[in-house]
Every structure is written in C-alpha cells, then in structure tokens.
Amino acid sequence: MRLSLRQLSVSCVALTGLLATSAHAQSAPASSSGSQIKKVSKPSAQARKKSSSGNGLSSSVLGQYTGGTEEISVTSHSVSSNGVTNRTPGGGLMPHQTAPRSQSGVTRDFIAKQAPSSNITSLVADLPGVTVTSQDPFGMTGDHLQVRGLNETQMGYLFEGAPLADPINYAPYTSTLVDSENLGSVTVSQGAPDLNAPFYNAVGGQITATALNPSHRAGGFVDLGGGSYSYNKEFIRLDTGDIGNSGVRGYVSFSHTGYDNGARGPGGLLRYHVDSKFVKEWGDGNSISAIFSYNKQSATSWRSPTKAQWDQYGVGFSYDKHFAPGESTYYKLNQQNLNQQLVVLPMHFTLADNLHLHVSPYYVHQFGPSLGGENIPASGGYFGTQQYGDLNVGTPVNGSILTSSRDPWNQKTGGVNVSADWRLSKSNTLSFGWWYAYTTHEELSDFRPVYADGSGWSGDVIRVGGKILTGYDLNFMQQVNTLFIADTQKLLNDKLTLSAGFRVAMVSRQGTNLVPGADPYKMQGNYFEPLPQFSASYMITPKDQIYINGTTSFRAPESVEAYSQIFDPNSAHATMQPQSLKPEYSISEEIGYRHQGKFYNFSMSLFNINLTNHQVTSTGYIPNTNMMVASPINIGGQTSRGVQAEFGLARWHHFSPYLSGQFLHSTFDNNFNTGSGYLPTAGKIAVQAPKFTGAIGLSYDDGRFFGNFDLRYVDTQYTTFMNDEKMPAYVTSTRKSH
C-alpha cells in the first residue's frame, strides 16, 4: 500500500505507545488487516540440549546446505511456545551467517510475530535487494519478487532439501507449501545458488526454507485470526512428543483460511491445508524425517487491466458480480484452483567418522483446474486448424456460446538428491553428489456450455466428432540429471577457506500436442550445461569475515507453452507458437564483508551479474478470452551491478532495530530482435530493476507485549524495454502488535 505522512505518524505513535501498555502473555501474530483473537499452547519451557533432527542445516564453505546436527543450549534465555528466543539481531532479521556469499535470513524471532497469512516469499520482503509484491492484501495468491533485477522464476526455492517450485514454469506457490506457524527459518542467497542445489533455473540465487522441528514434549498449539475483508484463519497443531524410547517424535497440523475480495470485486479465497513432520534420530548424526503437506485452494481470478483500464477503474477493475447471458466476465466462471500434495524424506547418515551421506527423496503432485469464461462460435469455429459445424449446445447469443473454459492441468514430479561429505584430512573435505528428477505434465483444456439461466457450466464437455473440443492437448515429460564435485581446503589455522567445485546439469524435455493440425506435433529440448564455482573466505577476527566468490548458473526455457502451440475456437491459426529458446546463463562475482558481534551484525557486498539469453516473460490473454498464458522472450544479454548492505542490533531495552538497502544498476546489453527489425534497447535500464530499495524495521518485545513496524522504499521501475513507461517510486509499511 501507499504510505501517507499521516499513516507514518500514526504508525510511529502506535509503536512508541507500546512502552506504556501492559497486556497479557505474549503469543503469535495478528493479521496484518485485523487482530489476533486467541492462542493457547502446552509448551515445554525447560532449557534443554537437543539435536536438530536432520533439518538443522549447516552451511558449508560453498554455501551448501547439508544435513548436520545443530546443538542448541538454552541457558539464561527462555523459549516461548512459538519458538521465539529474542536472540537474533534485528528482531529475527539478521541471523548468524558463515557462507562466503551474500546471504540473509529470518528466524522464528521474526516469523512468529508476522501475520498468520504470511508465506516464504512475503517474509523476506525486508532483506537487502528483495522487492516483494502481492496480488491480494494477504499475499496468498501470488509470489512476486525481484532480486538484483531478476524475478521469482529465476530464484531456486528449496524446502527441506527438495526443490518445490513448479519444475516447468518455476512459479514457487509458497502459500501451498507450509503454514507460517510451522515455518522454522527462511534464508535468501542473493545472486548464487548452492553448488549441490537441485536447480536448473536459479540464475538469481536461492531461497531456502525449513519446517519447525517437532517438540520433545506432547502438547498442542492453536492460532485463531480475523480481520478486514472477512479474513479468518483457524490453525491447530498437535505434537506427539517423544514416543517412548523409539527416538520418534512428530506433529500434525490443520488450518482453514478464507477472505473476501472486498474492493477488488466479488469472490474471494478458500484454503484448507495439512502439515505433518515426523523425525527419527539415533546414534551420532543419524536421522530420518518425513514431511507431508496437502493444500486445497480455490480463489477468484484477478482481472489484469491495461493501463487505460487501470486509469479508469483502479482497483475496482474486476470480474462481474451478476450473471448475464453471454457475459464471460462473470466471476464464478473465472477461478483458480491450486491443489498440491507433497512428500519429502530427508535422511542423514554417519557412515564413518569422516564420511557423511545425505539422501532426500521427494514427490510433488500439483493440479488444477483453472477456469475462465469464453464466448466461442456456435457454428464455424475451429478445433485446431479444422473448422467445425453447428455445436447445438448452450444458449447462442449473437452467434456465440458462452462457455466455461477449463484447464485441468495435472503435474507430478518425483526425485532424489544424494550427496556425501568425505573428510580426507583435518583440513580437507571432498563433497560429491547426484540429483535425478522426473516430471510428467498433462494439460487437456475443454469447454462446457453455460445456459441463459447461468446453469450447466459444470456439466458435460463440448465435443466435435466425438472428440473433446480443446485449444491444447499437451503431454509433457522432463528428466533431469545433475552431478557435482567440490573440494574444500582450510589453511592458516582454519582462518582461510578455499573452495572449488564443478556441477554439470542435463535437462531433457519432450512435448506433444494432439490438437488437429498442430505443427509441430512434437517438440524436444535438450540442455547440457557445465557450472563451475569458486569461493575464498578469510576470518580477520572471530567476528569479522571477508569473502570473494565466482559462480555460474543456468535456466532452461520457461513454460510448457515454449514447446507447444496454443489454439482457440475463435481462430483458424494457433494463437501462440512454440519458440526455439536458448537457456539463460549467468556468471556472478561478489566481494563482501560481515561483522557478527555481541551487540550488532553488519554485512555489505559488491556484486556483478552477467546474463546471456536473458528471458523476460510476457503474459497476456488468449484473444477473446479470460485465459492468460505466459510467453518467454529472449531479450539478449543483461548486466547487473550494485552494492547491498544490512545492519541489525541485538535487543536493547526490548528494542531490535534493523536496516537494509541496495543500489542496483541493471541494463540490457543488446538491441532487441523483434523478428522484423531491432529495437535500440542496448544500454536501457532493465524492466523491474529499481535503482534504490531499502527497508527499516523496528521490533519491541518485553516478554509480555510485542510490536513490529517496518517501512519499505522501492524506487521507480521501468515497465518497457524502451524505458518509455515506468512505475513511480512507492513506500509501503506494515505494523503488528499484541
């Protein structure tokens, strides 16, 4: 939201007023649009020494996240039922980091005090160089962010060791992964992914998230929230505690979330979600975890306006509340259903004192349908390139039939990531591993007639010659193999760490389209990319570190539509053609410094990113429909250079301030080939690459009452390749208290 001077003043007064307020015991966050109702729990307040259950992630010198045992000893500091310790500088926004690269994160000290609707993406909005935008007030129907001039599809998303963004269009869908009440930490690596990370799209960096570990004591946790736009969330988690002497413990949680669109038009969102995690530990560093989640989510689609429509209607540009014959913009015909089932089984084994094995098999099932209203010809329309006769269904209006255009996409991915760390000597460690993944994607669109009274749109599909009338009948298959090897050497009494590694990624894709007249009927894509990395780190003092690194990464072309034609009954020709796109490739360099002391943490880095075959995604409607498709465009080379910094104080008189900022200069390197000529885009500022971004955070927590305030600034952003249209700079703010 935009922030006025009056709103800023009110926010500051509200924060300072916390000092004079005495309230009940601390609990979890309120909604950003309302207030928390109640939270109860049965925690263990006992200070104890415990292991991390295998998801305690220790970063190696390459920045890799490998399973290890994290020992936590709590002495003079208490731990609340929601995991808050108040020990992370910046109010949970600046945890300790050791990786030789730019890396920032959030812990439970921050996560537990945010709105219950928060997700992995929205929680990192204050970190340096990260710009987050959302389609709705609660951040549940879209994950949009930019990091160093790159967007969310160019970031690798890792959850409990498994890559869980869409493996084809790279959308992260983080609201489907885990409830924020079960989220342990989130880490952003700007500019560089882990060498052993299971990605083939992470040219912009990596976002790593972990789930909370199950409690050692049986108990429960309840979270109820409500707010504006009829927002409501009900969450309950049950912990088994340690089950006898089996070494097994776990939890299961369930949540329901809903809201209305309010000023954005009719409709809303309804979400049901289940999380569970069970852990088995034994011996020295051996553990097996089982993480499962299920998400069922239905939401009214957001109608994307043109600039002229935005100028005329603003946020009121939406789908219609009332039905009329032939009216394709009726809101019930335009829905997005996002369903997901997830299983991850991270395993860590100590095979010998100097040999550790990590195995993470996973399975993800994502499916629709997506719905959009569309008028198609009652006679003389097209099935692919073949013209059909009279359909004799529905209620014709001006020669067209109103239909519900359905896209019941169905995608399944199974994979396994295996790595080993072999300590050859006290100062030398060899790491190596393999990742394999297999994805199938089926997408058969159909049309269902809508009658004059508004009925029928969930009934039988329209057929032509006994076959389902469709615009795309896609079958897509993908296999991925990556191999990596790395060597780490520690010198000068472990002050100097040198690391070098090499990864090779192999991606094989094949797609077919069974729509009559599809040409080509079958398309393939095979990509082989060598990806070296190097880093050096030196500890000047136990609290001061300098580092330098050079990394490479690549991204295979985005979206199924890059390999298949898209047809529509209103057109005799394909409305979208497949493209022969080269993979995007990045070379990044960084030099940085960080101080991590008793009273404050500070970090700063200079970076340079060079991309070739940079792909920018253009999204638009299929003509005469409310169905949107994404088309990647090769803009050529892009160079991004800049500096980022962050600063966080330890809690002082119950206050924890935080500052972050970034300067970015990102430009296109080439003139854009339009197919019929060239646009003079070389040297132009890249789209969605604001020059300045910054955030201020302030947290107060006295153990009885807490409050948070943050202020974010985003500079102007160009929206066209020619820099002739831009978004103005803006300021947003959120505040929470309890």
Side-chain angles (χ1 to χ4, degrees), residues 349-369:
F349 305 104
T350 300
L351 304 182
D353 290 342
N354 63 339
L355 182 60
H356 300 270
L357 177 67
H358 318 287
V359 183
S360 294
Y362 63 94
Y363 172 79
V364 187
H365 181 198
Q366 298 171 327
F367 53 101

mmCIF file of all heavy atoms in Angstrom, residues 349-369:
data_model
loop_
_atom_site.group_PDB
_atom_site.id
_atom_site.type_symbol
_atom_site.label_atom_id
_atom_site.label_comp_id
_atom_site.label_asym_id
_atom_site.label_seq_id
_atom_site.Cartn_x
_atom_site.Cartn_y
_atom_site.Cartn_z
ATOM 1 N N PHE A 349 23.067 -39.788 7.326
ATOM 2 C CA PHE A 349 23.717 -40.948 7.926
ATOM 3 C C PHE A 349 25.205 -40.669 8.149
ATOM 4 O O PHE A 349 25.872 -40.104 7.280
ATOM 5 C CB PHE A 349 23.570 -42.177 7.025
ATOM 6 C CG PHE A 349 22.152 -42.499 6.660
ATOM 7 C CD1 PHE A 349 21.656 -42.202 5.401
ATOM 8 C CD2 PHE A 349 21.292 -43.088 7.579
ATOM 9 C CE1 PHE A 349 20.350 -42.486 5.055
ATOM 10 C CE2 PHE A 349 19.975 -43.381 7.243
ATOM 11 C CZ PHE A 349 19.506 -43.081 5.978
ATOM 12 N N THR A 350 25.694 -41.076 9.305
ATOM 13 C CA THR A 350 27.128 -41.056 9.579
ATOM 14 C C THR A 350 27.667 -42.445 9.286
ATOM 15 O O THR A 350 27.488 -43.380 10.074
ATOM 16 C CB THR A 350 27.396 -40.670 11.041
ATOM 17 O OG1 THR A 350 26.859 -39.367 11.283
ATOM 18 C CG2 THR A 350 28.887 -40.658 11.328
ATOM 19 N N LEU A 351 28.298 -42.611 8.122
ATOM 20 C CA LEU A 351 28.809 -43.913 7.716
ATOM 21 C C LEU A 351 30.138 -44.226 8.388
ATOM 22 O O LEU A 351 30.473 -45.381 8.615
ATOM 23 C CB LEU A 351 28.973 -43.955 6.197
ATOM 24 C CG LEU A 351 27.702 -43.644 5.384
ATOM 25 C CD1 LEU A 351 27.998 -43.767 3.895
ATOM 26 C CD2 LEU A 351 26.553 -44.556 5.784
ATOM 27 N N ALA A 352 30.899 -43.178 8.676
ATOM 28 C CA ALA A 352 32.167 -43.280 9.400
ATOM 29 C C ALA A 352 32.439 -41.914 10.000
ATOM 30 O O ALA A 352 31.745 -40.942 9.702
ATOM 31 C CB ALA A 352 33.298 -43.714 8.463
ATOM 32 N N ASP A 353 33.455 -41.839 10.841
ATOM 33 C CA ASP A 353 33.752 -40.553 11.469
ATOM 34 C C ASP A 353 34.026 -39.467 10.441
ATOM 35 O O ASP A 353 33.769 -38.285 10.694
ATOM 36 C CB ASP A 353 34.963 -40.685 12.404
ATOM 37 C CG ASP A 353 34.640 -41.494 13.646
ATOM 38 O OD1 ASP A 353 33.429 -41.645 13.941
ATOM 39 O OD2 ASP A 353 35.576 -41.973 14.303
ATOM 40 N N ASN A 354 34.537 -39.856 9.289
ATOM 41 C CA ASN A 354 34.907 -38.868 8.275
ATOM 42 C C ASN A 354 34.045 -38.942 7.019
ATOM 43 O O ASN A 354 34.389 -38.367 5.992
ATOM 44 C CB ASN A 354 36.375 -39.032 7.883
ATOM 45 C CG ASN A 354 36.640 -40.384 7.234
ATOM 46 O OD1 ASN A 354 35.859 -41.328 7.412
ATOM 47 N ND2 ASN A 354 37.739 -40.483 6.491
ATOM 48 N N LEU A 355 32.914 -39.658 7.080
ATOM 49 C CA LEU A 355 32.081 -39.828 5.893
ATOM 50 C C LEU A 355 30.605 -39.699 6.268
ATOM 51 O O LEU A 355 30.104 -40.454 7.105
ATOM 52 C CB LEU A 355 32.341 -41.188 5.244
ATOM 53 C CG LEU A 355 31.571 -41.492 3.951
ATOM 54 C CD1 LEU A 355 31.902 -40.461 2.872
ATOM 55 C CD2 LEU A 355 31.887 -42.905 3.462
ATOM 56 N N HIS A 356 29.931 -38.739 5.649
ATOM 57 C CA HIS A 356 28.520 -38.483 5.918
ATOM 58 C C HIS A 356 27.734 -38.519 4.609
ATOM 59 O O HIS A 356 28.156 -37.951 3.596
ATOM 60 C CB HIS A 356 28.337 -37.124 6.595
ATOM 61 C CG HIS A 356 29.051 -37.009 7.903
ATOM 62 N ND1 HIS A 356 28.470 -37.350 9.109
ATOM 63 C CD2 HIS A 356 30.310 -36.606 8.193
ATOM 64 C CE1 HIS A 356 29.326 -37.151 10.086
ATOM 65 N NE2 HIS A 356 30.462 -36.705 9.553
ATOM 66 N N LEU A 357 26.584 -39.180 4.651
ATOM 67 C CA LEU A 357 25.731 -39.348 3.483
ATOM 68 C C LEU A 357 24.393 -38.646 3.716
ATOM 69 O O LEU A 357 23.808 -38.742 4.795
ATOM 70 C CB LEU A 357 25.493 -40.836 3.212
ATOM 71 C CG LEU A 357 24.544 -41.188 2.054
ATOM 72 C CD1 LEU A 357 25.150 -40.770 0.715
ATOM 73 C CD2 LEU A 357 24.231 -42.686 2.068
ATOM 74 N N HIS A 358 23.898 -37.947 2.665
ATOM 75 C CA HIS A 358 22.631 -37.225 2.743
ATOM 76 C C HIS A 358 21.767 -37.637 1.556
ATOM 77 O O HIS A 358 22.196 -37.530 0.394
ATOM 78 C CB HIS A 358 22.863 -35.716 2.722
ATOM 79 C CG HIS A 358 24.023 -35.282 3.569
ATOM 80 N ND1 HIS A 358 23.969 -35.281 4.942
ATOM 81 C CD2 HIS A 358 25.271 -34.857 3.231
ATOM 82 C CE1 HIS A 358 25.132 -34.857 5.418
ATOM 83 N NE2 HIS A 358 25.938 -34.613 4.402
ATOM 84 N N VAL A 359 20.560 -38.107 1.828
ATOM 85 C CA VAL A 359 19.653 -38.578 0.787
ATOM 86 C C VAL A 359 18.296 -37.923 1.008
ATOM 87 O O VAL A 359 17.735 -38.002 2.110
ATOM 88 C CB VAL A 359 19.509 -40.114 0.815
ATOM 89 C CG1 VAL A 359 18.607 -40.575 -0.326
ATOM 90 C CG2 VAL A 359 20.864 -40.792 0.748
ATOM 91 N N SER A 360 17.758 -37.272 -0.033
ATOM 92 C CA SER A 360 16.473 -36.583 0.089
ATOM 93 C C SER A 360 15.563 -36.948 -1.081
ATOM 94 O O SER A 360 15.541 -36.262 -2.108
ATOM 95 C CB SER A 360 16.677 -35.068 0.138
ATOM 96 O OG SER A 360 17.356 -34.680 1.300
ATOM 97 N N PRO A 361 14.802 -38.041 -0.965
ATOM 98 C CA PRO A 361 13.789 -38.318 -1.980
ATOM 99 C C PRO A 361 12.560 -37.432 -1.745
ATOM 100 O O PRO A 361 12.272 -37.039 -0.613
ATOM 101 C CB PRO A 361 13.457 -39.794 -1.763
ATOM 102 C CG PRO A 361 13.837 -40.069 -0.349
ATOM 103 C CD PRO A 361 14.916 -39.114 0.036
ATOM 104 N N TYR A 362 11.831 -37.120 -2.818
ATOM 105 C CA TYR A 362 10.652 -36.269 -2.683
ATOM 106 C C TYR A 362 9.660 -36.570 -3.802
ATOM 107 O O TYR A 362 10.007 -37.125 -4.852
ATOM 108 C CB TYR A 362 11.037 -34.783 -2.710
ATOM 109 C CG TYR A 362 11.669 -34.326 -4.000
ATOM 110 C CD1 TYR A 362 10.912 -33.758 -5.028
ATOM 111 C CD2 TYR A 362 13.043 -34.465 -4.222
ATOM 112 C CE1 TYR A 362 11.487 -33.347 -6.215
ATOM 113 C CE2 TYR A 362 13.628 -34.054 -5.403
ATOM 114 C CZ TYR A 362 12.844 -33.496 -6.403
ATOM 115 O OH TYR A 362 13.422 -33.095 -7.581
ATOM 116 N N TYR A 363 8.416 -36.187 -3.564
ATOM 117 C CA TYR A 363 7.343 -36.344 -4.555
ATOM 118 C C TYR A 363 6.396 -35.154 -4.419
ATOM 119 O O TYR A 363 6.000 -34.786 -3.311
ATOM 120 C CB TYR A 363 6.580 -37.647 -4.330
ATOM 121 C CG TYR A 363 5.335 -37.778 -5.191
ATOM 122 C CD1 TYR A 363 5.421 -38.147 -6.539
ATOM 123 C CD2 TYR A 363 4.070 -37.535 -4.652
ATOM 124 C CE1 TYR A 363 4.294 -38.270 -7.319
ATOM 125 C CE2 TYR A 363 2.929 -37.658 -5.435
ATOM 126 C CZ TYR A 363 3.042 -38.025 -6.760
ATOM 127 O OH TYR A 363 1.924 -38.135 -7.547
ATOM 128 N N VAL A 364 6.047 -34.543 -5.548
ATOM 129 C CA VAL A 364 5.141 -33.400 -5.559
ATOM 130 C C VAL A 364 4.085 -33.625 -6.631
ATOM 131 O O VAL A 364 4.410 -33.951 -7.778
ATOM 132 C CB VAL A 364 5.878 -32.073 -5.858
ATOM 133 C CG1 VAL A 364 4.928 -30.894 -5.687
ATOM 134 C CG2 VAL A 364 7.093 -31.909 -4.971
ATOM 135 N N HIS A 365 2.826 -33.438 -6.244
ATOM 136 C CA HIS A 365 1.713 -33.534 -7.189
ATOM 137 C C HIS A 365 0.960 -32.208 -7.149
ATOM 138 O O HIS A 365 0.418 -31.828 -6.112
ATOM 139 C CB HIS A 365 0.785 -34.687 -6.817
ATOM 140 C CG HIS A 365 -0.365 -34.871 -7.762
ATOM 141 N ND1 HIS A 365 -1.491 -35.600 -7.429
ATOM 142 C CD2 HIS A 365 -0.582 -34.428 -9.038
ATOM 143 C CE1 HIS A 365 -2.336 -35.600 -8.447
ATOM 144 N NE2 HIS A 365 -1.805 -34.892 -9.431
ATOM 145 N N GLN A 366 0.930 -31.500 -8.272
ATOM 146 C CA GLN A 366 0.222 -30.229 -8.384
ATOM 147 C C GLN A 366 -0.833 -30.357 -9.472
ATOM 148 O O GLN A 366 -0.576 -30.920 -10.539
ATOM 149 C CB GLN A 366 1.192 -29.091 -8.736
ATOM 150 C CG GLN A 366 2.266 -28.853 -7.684
ATOM 151 C CD GLN A 366 3.340 -27.879 -8.152
ATOM 152 O OE1 GLN A 366 3.673 -27.826 -9.334
ATOM 153 N NE2 GLN A 366 3.893 -27.112 -7.228
ATOM 154 N N PHE A 367 -2.037 -29.809 -9.205
ATOM 155 C CA PHE A 367 -3.096 -29.933 -10.190
ATOM 156 C C PHE A 367 -4.120 -28.816 -10.018
ATOM 157 O O PHE A 367 -4.208 -28.181 -8.971
ATOM 158 C CB PHE A 367 -3.775 -31.305 -10.109
ATOM 159 C CG PHE A 367 -4.277 -31.691 -8.744
ATOM 160 C CD1 PHE A 367 -5.620 -31.573 -8.420
ATOM 161 C CD2 PHE A 367 -3.410 -32.195 -7.777
ATOM 162 C CE1 PHE A 367 -6.088 -31.947 -7.166
ATOM 163 C CE2 PHE A 367 -3.868 -32.575 -6.522
ATOM 164 C CZ PHE A 367 -5.212 -32.448 -6.219
ATOM 165 N N GLY A 368 -4.915 -28.576 -11.073
ATOM 166 C CA GLY A 368 -5.898 -27.506 -11.125
ATOM 167 C C GLY A 368 -7.279 -27.982 -10.713
ATOM 168 O O GLY A 368 -7.398 -28.778 -9.776
ATOM 169 N N PRO A 369 -8.336 -27.450 -11.393
ATOM 170 C CA PRO A 369 -8.269 -26.746 -12.674
ATOM 171 C C PRO A 369 -8.246 -25.223 -12.534
ATOM 172 O O PRO A 369 -8.579 -24.677 -11.487
ATOM 173 C CB PRO A 369 -9.581 -27.172 -13.335
ATOM 174 C CG PRO A 369 -10.535 -27.282 -12.171
ATOM 175 C CD PRO A 369 -9.713 -27.807 -11.025
#
